[in-house]
């Protein structure tokens, strides 16, 4: 009968990633940069929403944007063209996520000194990105009306790790069977502390509230010496 060797691992497999993420948070906070990780399924409207947000805020804040994709630089180019912001494209080698080490290496190539606000447009995926701490100070998730109000039941971790959930494309509510009250209830069951805001980048609904949330969180984070 063969021998079986047992190895006990007493450290979380994400421990190295989490340490790097903390280093990123401290570094960016020290230089006065508030870092937001934006996640969603493909097609939820990340690029469009970020474009609207940046254009509304760029006169008062120096803003940077990083974009993660498996291929092409189309989204990063759209943001740069439509906002005038310097955008960095990150190709992640075909992976379904970006982790803190990848972010750290990207930041070495992207001069963030002087940025008041930095967005990371994560890869479109509702599973893998939720598992990895990117070093962002806060996580934002976009959840679009066409996806259906049952998304929180199918992808619970994504909703659990986000500080702000934006229910996007509210201008399409009349065309889809989407129960806003039920969607809110399902999110609350997974994450009672999450802020939930219905928004439309097309009509502007809710965008002022998003900006207020960002500015309030930025003030709190930069004033918090524990980061």
């Amino acid at each position: 009968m063969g021998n079986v060797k047992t190895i006990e691992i007493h450290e979380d497999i994400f421990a190295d990633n989490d340490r790097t993420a903390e280093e990123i948070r401290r570094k960016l906070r020290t230089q006065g940069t508030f870092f937001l990780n934006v996640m969603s399924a493909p097609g939820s409207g990340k690029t469009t929403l970020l474009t609207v947000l940046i254009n509304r805020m760029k006169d008062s804040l120096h803003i940077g944007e990083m974009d993660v994709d498996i291929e092409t630089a189309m989204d990063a180019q759209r943001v740069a063209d439509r906002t005038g912001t310097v955008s960095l494209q990150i190709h992640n080698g075909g992976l379904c996520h970006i982790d803190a080490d990848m972010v750290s290496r990207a930041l070495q190539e992207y001069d963030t000194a002087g940025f008041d606000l930095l967005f990371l447009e994560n890869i479109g995926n509702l599973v893998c990105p939720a598992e990895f701490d990117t070093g962002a100070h806060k996580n934002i998730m976009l959840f679009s009306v066409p996806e259906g109000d049952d998304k929180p039941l199918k992808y619970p971790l994504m909703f659990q790790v986000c500080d702000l959930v934006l229910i996007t494309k509210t201008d399409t509510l009349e065309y889809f069977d989407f129960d806003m009250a039920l969607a809110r209830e399902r999110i609350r069951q997974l994450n009672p502390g999450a802020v939930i805001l219905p928004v439309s980048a097309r009509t502007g609904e809710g965008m002022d509230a998003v900006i207020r949330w960002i500015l309030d969180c930025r003030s709190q984070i930069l004033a918090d010496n524990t980061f």
Side-chain angles (χ1 to χ4, degrees):
M1 187 173 181
N3 294 324
V4 175
K5 183 176 182 180
T6 301
I7 300 175
E8 294 186 15
I9 300 176
H10 296 286
E11 187 171 29
D12 191 314
I13 60 172
F14 293 108
D16 284 344
N17 184 82
D18 293 345
R19 279 192 289 268
T20 302
E22 288 298 332
E23 291 170 3
I24 292 170
R25 272 188 282 275
R26 284 194 294 269
K27 175 184 176 181
L28 292 179
R29 180 196 167 278
T30 299
Q31 70 182 35
T33 304
F34 180 45
F35 183 24
L36 288 169
N37 176 33
V38 183
M39 300 180 284
S40 80
S44 291
K46 293 189 298 298
T47 304
T48 300
L49 182 133
L50 284 174
T51 297
V52 172
L53 282 176
I54 292 171
N55 277 330
R56 288 194 178 204
M57 303 173 74
K58 66 183 182 182
D59 289 341
S60 56
L61 296 174
H62 187 197
I63 302 173
E65 193 261 359
M66 301 188 297
D67 195 282
V68 188
D69 275 309
I70 294 174
E71 295 292 343
T72 84
M74 292 175 64
D75 287 345
Q77 192 64 56
R78 286 191 187 101
V79 173
D81 289 345
R82 296 173 185 177
T83 68
T85 299
V86 177
S87 185
L88 177 71
Q89 179 66 51
I90 303 171
H91 286 156
N92 69 345
L95 298 175
C96 62
H97 69 279
I98 184 170
D99 59 27
D101 181 64
M102 297 177 201
V103 172
S104 180
R105 283 184 281 146
L107 290 174
Q108 293 174 17
E109 305 296 326
Y110 192 33
D111 184 11
T112 61
F115 281 150
D116 301 304
L117 179 60
L118 176 64
F119 289 107
L120 172 66
E121 182 179 346
N122 213 313
I123 193 164
N125 188 308
L126 286 177
V127 181
C128 305
E131 298 176 345
F132 291 87
D133 188 343
T134 61
H137 295 113
K138 296 286 183 180
N139 291 320
I140 299 175
M141 185 219 171
L142 277 61
F143 165 32
S144 70
V145 167
E147 293 174 67
D149 52 40
D150 59 353
K151 270 295 186 290
L153 303 179
K154 296 179 178 180
Y155 302 94
L157 182 61
M158 176 60 75
F159 289 86
Q160 289 168 341
V161 302
C162 287
D163 304 285
L164 174 65
V165 177
L166 300 179
I167 301 179
T168 64
K169 303 186 181 181
T170 55
D171 53 293
T172 68
L173 275 168
E174 64 179 299
Y175 305 107
F176 294 94
D177 183 16
F178 186 95
D179 188 324
M180 183 68 72
L182 185 57
R184 285 177 176 273
E185 179 183 342
R186 287 169 169 169
I187 296 168
R188 289 269 181 249
Q189 288 173 351
L190 293 168
N191 188 349
V195 174
I196 305 169
L197 296 175
V199 301
S200 169
R202 181 183 295 274
T203 67
E205 178 192 354
M207 299 304 290
D208 288 342
V210 178
I211 292 171
R212 285 195 298 271
W213 183 88
I214 291 173
L215 295 178
D216 288 346
C217 288
R218 180 178 181 273
S219 296
Q220 293 168 14
I221 293 298
L222 297 185
D224 187 350
N225 291 326
T226 64
F227 274 90

